């Protein structure tokens, strides 16, 4: 039944439409990585895929940041463990309609959460 979802998406959008959606998602992933670095986050993975794993170089707790972002209702983000030793935030762009304004909204939510976590930790 999972395969039916892919078949129906291909049927509706066609190969070119599907390819365009994937290209757009990878562009949004690249934008997210670039904007995170511009805002002082450490990006831990380099991939063409729209998946970004990152941390606050100031040491703010990733779990606390993720919880605050999700509680804000602005975005959804998770954490993951990289190489069995680094807990990082993980953003994955899975919606074909995600655009630059959505990336900026996530960045704003992350920054607000990071500041709150740093204040409560320090």
């Amino acid at each position: 039944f999972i395969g039916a979802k892919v078949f129906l998406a291909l049927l509706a959008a066609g190969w070119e439409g599907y390819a365009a959606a994937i290209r757009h998602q990878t562009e949004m992933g690249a934008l997210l990585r670039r904007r995170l670095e511009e805002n002082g986050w450490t990006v831990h993975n380099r991939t063409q895929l729209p998946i970004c794993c990152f941390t606050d170089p100031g040491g703010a707790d990733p779990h606390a940041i993720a919880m605050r972002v999700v509680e804000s209702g602005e975005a959804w983000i998770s954490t993951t463990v990289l190489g069995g030793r680094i807990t990082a935030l993980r953003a994955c762009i899975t919606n074909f309609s995600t655009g630059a304004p959505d990336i900026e909204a996530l960045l704003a939510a992350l920054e607000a959460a990071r500041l709150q976590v740093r204040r409560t930790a320090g």
Side-chain angles (χ1 to χ4, degrees):
F1 208 56
I2 291 172
K5 293 177 191 176
V6 174
F7 175 74
L8 291 173
L10 283 171
L11 187 63
W15 285 107
E16 277 307 309
Y18 214 70
I22 292 170
R23 275 192 299 275
H24 175 74
Q25 287 172 295
T26 59
E27 289 168 8
M28 292 299 100
L31 174 62
L32 175 60
R33 280 187 293 281
R34 186 171 61 253
R35 294 290 290 127
L36 283 165
E37 289 175 336
E38 290 170 0
N39 284 282
W41 296 88
T42 300
V43 175
H44 293 276
N45 65 323
R46 299 285 175 222
T47 178
Q48 294 275 319
L49 299 173
I51 299 169
C52 188
C53 298
F54 56 100
T55 56
D56 171 38
D61 177 29
H63 293 293
I65 292 173
M67 184 179 69
R68 288 182 187 267
V69 169
V70 171
E71 286 175 352
S72 76
E74 293 297 318
W76 189 89
I77 193 159
S78 64
T79 59
T80 190
V81 178
L82 304 173
R85 58 185 174 80
I86 299 171
T87 300
L89 291 151
R90 180 181 179 273
C92 183
I93 300 165
T94 58
N95 189 316
F96 69 91
S97 66
T98 297
D102 301 305
I103 300 298
E104 293 304 320
L106 172 59
L107 289 165
L110 284 165
E111 190 59 34
R114 173 165 64 173
L115 291 174
Q116 290 171 349
V117 169
R118 284 181 175 177
R119 266 190 248 126
T120 58

